[in-house]
Amino acid sequence: MPAPHRTPLPIADVVIADEFWSPRRETVRTRTIPHQEARLRDGGMFDALLLKPRSHDDDDRERFPIFWDSDVAKWIEAASYALASQADPELDAAVDKAVALLEGAQQEDGYLNNYFTAVKPGQRFTDLSDAHELYCAGHLIEAGVAHYEATGKTSLLDIVRRYADLIDREFGPGGSCEGGYDGHQEIELALVKLYRATGERRYLDLSLRFIDNRGTRPFYFDVEGERRGRAGYFGGREDRPFTPRDQRGREYAQSHAPVREQDAVVGHAVRAMYQYTAMADLALELGDDGLREACERLWDDLVATKLYVTGGIGSDPSIEGFGKPYDLPDYTGYAETCAAIGLVFWAQRMMILTGEAKYVDVLERALYNGVLSGASADGTKYFYGNPLASDGTVERSDWFDCACCPPNLARLLTSLEQYVYTADADGLWVNLFVTGSARFAHAGQRVTVAQESGYPWDGGIAFTVTEAKAPLPMTLRLRLPAWATGAARISVNGTVLPYSTDKGYAVLDRTWAAGDRVELHLPMDPTLVRADPRVRSTAGKVAFQRGPIVHCVEEVDNAAAVPRLIVSRSGELRTEHADGQDAIIAEGLVDGPAPDGLYSTAAPAAEPTAIRTVPYFAWANRGKGSMAVWVRETP
Amino acid sequence: MPAPHRTPLPIADVVIADEFWSPRRETVRTRTIPHQEARLRDGGMFDALLLKPRSHDDDDRERFPIFWDSDVAKWIEAASYALASQADPELDAAVDKAVALLEGAQQEDGYLNNYFTAVKPGQRFTDLSDAHELYCAGHLIEAGVAHYEATGKTSLLDIVRRYADLIDREFGPGGSCEGGYDGHQEIELALVKLYRATGERRYLDLSLRFIDNRGTRPFYFDVEGERRGRAGYFGGREDRPFTPRDQRGREYAQSHAPVREQDAVVGHAVRAMYQYTAMADLALELGDDGLREACERLWDDLVATKLYVTGGIGSDPSIEGFGKPYDLPDYTGYAETCAAIGLVFWAQRMMILTGEAKYVDVLERALYNGVLSGASADGTKYFYGNPLASDGTVERSDWFDCACCPPNLARLLTSLEQYVYTADADGLWVNLFVTGSARFAHAGQRVTVAQESGYPWDGGIAFTVTEAKAPLPMTLRLRLPAWATGAARISVNGTVLPYSTDKGYAVLDRTWAAGDRVELHLPMDPTLVRADPRVRSTAGKVAFQRGPIVHCVEEVDNAAAVPRLIVSRSGELRTEHADGQDAIIAEGLVDGPAPDGLYSTAAPAAEPTAIRTVPYFAWANRGKGSMAVWVRETP
């Protein structure tokens, strides 16, 4: 089995001290994480771990406790990442308290789930299709690994290992659930993390088993459904246009076909992303070409036909998932924050698996746009869905009954270190442009490289070798974003150098010394982006982009509601930087008032106007008003 | 009380022998009505009138029987209109059989409702907000009046009078439901018809009582809800985003405010249309200016902000009703067939009330477009909703669980006579251009005027006085459609005459003799229509119209899926007439393929193409494919 030859640098070895990211991460640490802790306390999620008997009735609100263990787990995971980069005794103690609750809730045999212990005792693992049981287990495992890696404590890791061992018995050969897998993928990627943290091969095998069981015949969800009688606990839900046992229901959970045969991204977007992430992880760990090829096919389908320009995915609100190819509506598009986060996970694994920068291009697109839009500027309000246009009625919410997105965003931002650099035997790969530093071992010595930039607003990025004891033969790879192709300049110690590129990275292979300085210059002209004409919501329209930032037009900055604006194709684009972010100013027109009632044969009058944008991630922070990413263009 | 001074000519006095309408009406008579009779038989609607005890459970399909009496009633009504214009002993016998079923189902005290007799006995009139009880009664009354007027038989009229008398007692002063009104308006307009057919003033008073009770405080649906305990039979339905007892729920049923104070069309579109129709009827019968002014305010709101170019109304599928002003989405727009039919009813009443042609302009827009699209070319498949664009997945259905639209369309087409002419003391008003004749009494003599045209494809329309015994001083008013304003020509006996216009009608006031011939020429150039720029789905787009016919573009006739087409603003429009209908051919462009994946900075290439339309009513008759009424336009 090939060893993974590229790995992300661990959180503790990466410093982020970045004008763009650090305030956002600080907001997560000082506001979001405490806010979420309060919600877990006030919302009853912590109390649920006391396992007091509860009744189950048909009231919809009674259904949410099936997710609650994962809410607690994601909060612990986010808090652990925060602790990894910055000591915080109070937070550390709060996490310990939550871990103690989990310890108390764990059953003698290792089982750990508040719902199937207190509300539906005796029915564990009988409704995998809908009950999110292994999904919750997966988040607990991720939390256990993060907590261990951040604090060195094994308190939660031991708990989740006991639980994973139970699951391994139940879902292994001869177990009560042999052949089973979860209705919401998550545990598969978590088990790979547990394998990496513990070296226990059977966690990897169990992950592979879940992946390879999926979608085989007879369909496990049919089998368990028969076993339990027609009704699931959450089965025939009226708010879904399908059941777990029809084709659409199977596609919803990507269980319609064996994963190795899947070639189109379908169904619930978060489920899909978590599955593909695990597939890429397994492909890497096992050198499994079948899984890699399936991932590559699925990736190609996604980026060619189902990806919003913001990096959002999953356009169909009725399934929180994928529509048909090119079905990317703007006003009604779903683009769940969690799905974009899942795409970040998958893209990172694909880069590690293949060494190709194109995956990080999409990761960056999602991260700076469709992920970041999920939180308000002050970090305490959230979008569940991230539409690309609004009639002025859309606002972020304080919390959600199904509160998956806020803690998911928190855990991503607090673990951002993992996405900046990758290391391998040849040296360092720079994926994201984030001011700070990377510390790693290379050729037997400890090396530190500092990175500095005003990214994403400025394309000048400097790298300095700040620690290298001896002359250091090493390859430094710098990602060249697709939008900068052919136009990036690189100088080393002040001299502009030609450079070769490989899979989207500039390759600087030389002998380095402390003090060496590389300057990368990425062109940052604002541009207009057009979509494939098969996307019907964007026909005749353009989006604005500068560097990695996709912009949008908000009513508050413009002369009229945004559907009335028209960008001049041949007009000039200008950037203004103010209040910590860019605005793009475009020449354009604004439709005049209706000449004659609702319908008229007269051609509309239009006046020249300047159209002003804001970064998409920053929309909806100044009250209600119409917004659009895609704006009409004069041919 | 002023007598109504304008009345529609009765069905028996109008002949329709029209190339456009007669085949459609014949299809309704020979295919739709028998098809619907079979569905009533096979679907259990007739059997339900046998009142065998049935159980009620939560299965959604068990809910539909609350509508079933109205399905039977609408079928009887349509069949009666058909019998009024053409003898058909077999159909006459089938109607008698249905009437006998209704007679058998009527209770001793006059009550007549299958659901509250057989399924929920003892609970009549306790859930007016949701149970459609008076709605069904209203349809029965309309059927009774139509049956009586068509056949002279009082069998059904007597039944519905007994039922109306019971309702009058229960909802009158001191009755068990004093202050009440139905959750789905319908009985109000039906009672006006019953008053006109019987001369019984108390039916008119009861109608006015329902209208004036509506929306007063305390809200009756709150009161009855309290009386019955929290749950309705159909109350907290999960498929609706509100309850009958919140503001949105009240607006849904137009019971949020006294009707005389209502000034914006809101809520469920069919409910609204039926209410406004009754308000206009009462305004006419009672000379009630308050009701007339409310109707005029509501009309202005509708046509200025909430009317599709097809005459469809009610853009929001979640309530089958009105969205916000200018919220007229194309792909997801609802535009229920029944709502457009309701608009035809209301518009007719408004014309009768005011003598203004602008109401008939909207009536005609709805009739030829958003109503007619509700049925397939062969008359046996139906749209419930009539969106203005399709991605190729939308098709007409054979029937619906909630089968309101097919029989509604049938009863409208079989009673089309009522909409063609209006008569008053001065003479004849021509509202619609339909080949055939009108017979009426004027100044003591019997007069017949024949009408002949190739409308809606040809703008030449001839009127001939074919019966007039003596010199006949009479005013003939011809509606001049708004799209023909200023360009219509009129000649009498071959001589082009100047004419005066009044409220949108050309006024020909002269002494007529048999053989006199009037020729009206309406210009029929194809035109491009633009919407108010506040309608976001149509920004930068045009619709095609020729005469009253709104066209659309279907993929099958064009070079590509319709979102890729662009009409040249300055290009020529040409009409081709083939296979019994027009096509408009426009110069335009078709977007080339994507230059570089899903998103690209390159400007799209476009090739010249000819864009071909079909009438909107005729779309989706040639298999699946994309369709759009609104097509992008080059500025």
Side-chain angles (χ1 to χ4, degrees), chain A residues 599-601, chain B residues 308-311 361 364-365 368-369 455-456 481-484 523-530 542-552 573 575 582 584 613-615 629-630:
Chain A
Y599 301 109
S600 159
T601 53
Chain B
Y308 279 107
V309 72
T310 56
D361 285 345
E364 186 179 60
R365 182 182 288 282
Y368 281 94
N369 303 291
Y455 202 81
W483 45 265
M524 291 285 250
D525 294 329
T527 55
L528 299 178
V529 177
R530 283 95 180 176
V542 290
F544 297 86
Q545 187 169 342
R546 179 170 185 263
I549 302 293
V550 174
H551 285 243
C552 67
L573 299 177
T575 307
D582 285 350
I584 300 172
T613 73
V614 292
V629 170
W630 293 96

Side-chain angles (χ1 to χ4, degrees), chain B residues 66-78:
Chain B
I66 66 167
F67 305 115
W68 282 1
D69 298 328
S70 73
D71 291 345
V72 173
K74 277 193 281 190
W75 174 79
I76 294 176
E77 188 185 348

Side-chain angles (χ1 to χ4, degrees), chain B residues 53-311:
Chain B
R54 276 171 289 155
S55 71
H56 171 78
D57 69 32
D58 285 328
D59 185 341
D60 207 43
R61 302 187 62 89
E62 281 298 305
R63 217 176 61 229
F64 295 114
I66 66 167
F67 305 115
W68 282 1
D69 298 328
S70 73
D71 291 345
V72 173
K74 277 193 281 190
W75 174 79
I76 294 176
E77 188 185 348
S80 297
Y81 295 142
L83 290 171
S85 55
Q86 181 161 355
D88 183 336
E90 202 178 327
L91 183 59
D92 190 43
V95 170
D96 283 345
K97 226 167 116 181
V99 171
L101 281 171
L102 289 165
E103 191 174 4
Q106 188 163 38
Q107 303 298 293
E108 199 63 27
D109 60 359
Y111 187 76
L112 177 48
N113 180 294
N114 91 81
Y115 192 78
F116 285 97
T117 306
V119 186
K120 291 222 172 268
Q123 302 191 45
R124 59 164 83 158
F125 303 137
T126 56
D127 186 5
L128 296 176
S129 69
D130 263 309
H132 289 67
E133 210 169 352
L134 297 177
Y135 166 87
C136 287
H139 276 303
L140 287 168
I141 292 168
E142 285 201 88
V145 172
H147 184 238
Y148 165 66
E149 292 183 343
T151 65
K153 298 180 194 177
T154 61
S155 51
L156 186 54
L157 187 68
D158 290 342
I159 292 168
V160 303
R161 287 187 70 168
R162 282 196 296 275
Y163 191 14
D165 293 342
L166 168 79
I167 294 168
D168 189 35
R169 289 192 301 275
E170 298 293 340
F171 288 81
S176 67
C177 305
E178 188 178 357
Y181 45 89
D182 202 50
H184 194 314
Q185 301 91 315
E186 152 63 32
I187 194 168
E188 302 83 355
L189 74 90
L191 286 165
V192 177
K193 288 187 174 184
L194 188 60
Y195 157 71
R196 288 175 181 157
T198 64
E200 275 287 2
R201 170 70 192 226
R202 78 198 130 88
Y203 300 135
L204 194 68
D205 293 341
L206 178 57
S207 174
L208 182 66
R209 205 178 309 137
F210 282 137
I211 284 289
D212 275 336
N213 284 345
R214 194 165 205 91
T216 56
R217 287 167 192 264
F219 293 111
Y220 189 82
F221 300 150
D222 292 4
V223 172
E224 65 159 16
E226 289 303 316
R227 237 182 249 163
R228 168 186 89 225
R230 192 176 80 106
Y233 311 131
F234 318 101
R237 278 172 53 189
E238 293 198 9
D239 56 346
R240 282 198 202 147
F242 54 81
T243 79
R245 288 187 295 286
D246 61 24
Q247 175 67 14
R248 210 172 162 209
R250 290 187 188 113
E251 289 184 355
Y252 174 79
Q254 295 81 34
S255 63
H256 56 295
V259 300
R260 291 166 191 275
E261 296 169 17
Q262 294 181 15
D263 54 9
V265 298
V266 295
H268 187 266
V270 177
R271 284 168 164 81
M273 291 304 109
Y274 288 4
Q275 171 182 313
Y276 307 156
T277 299
M279 287 165 65
D281 275 336
L282 290 164
L284 180 74
E285 293 294 345
L286 302 168
D288 187 324
D289 286 340
L291 286 178
R292 179 181 52 74
E293 285 161 14
C295 282
E296 288 172 343
R297 280 197 310 273
L298 291 162
W299 182 273
D300 289 347
D301 181 56
L302 176 71
V303 300
T305 69
K306 292 165 191 168
L307 179 69
Y308 279 107
V309 72
T310 56

Side-chain angles (χ1 to χ4, degrees), chain A residues 307 324 530 532 598-600, chain B residues 307 530 532 598-601:
Chain A
L307 178 70
K324 288 176 293 189
R530 284 95 181 178
D532 187 303
L598 189 53
Y599 301 109
S600 159
Chain B
L307 179 69
R530 283 95 180 176
D532 187 303
L598 188 53
Y599 301 109
S600 159
T601 53

Side-chain angles (χ1 to χ4, degrees), chain A residues 66-70 73 113 132-141:
Chain A
I66 66 167
F67 307 114
W68 282 1
D69 297 328
S70 72
N113 180 294
H132 289 68
E133 208 169 354
L134 296 178
Y135 166 88
C136 287
H139 276 302
L140 287 169
I141 292 168

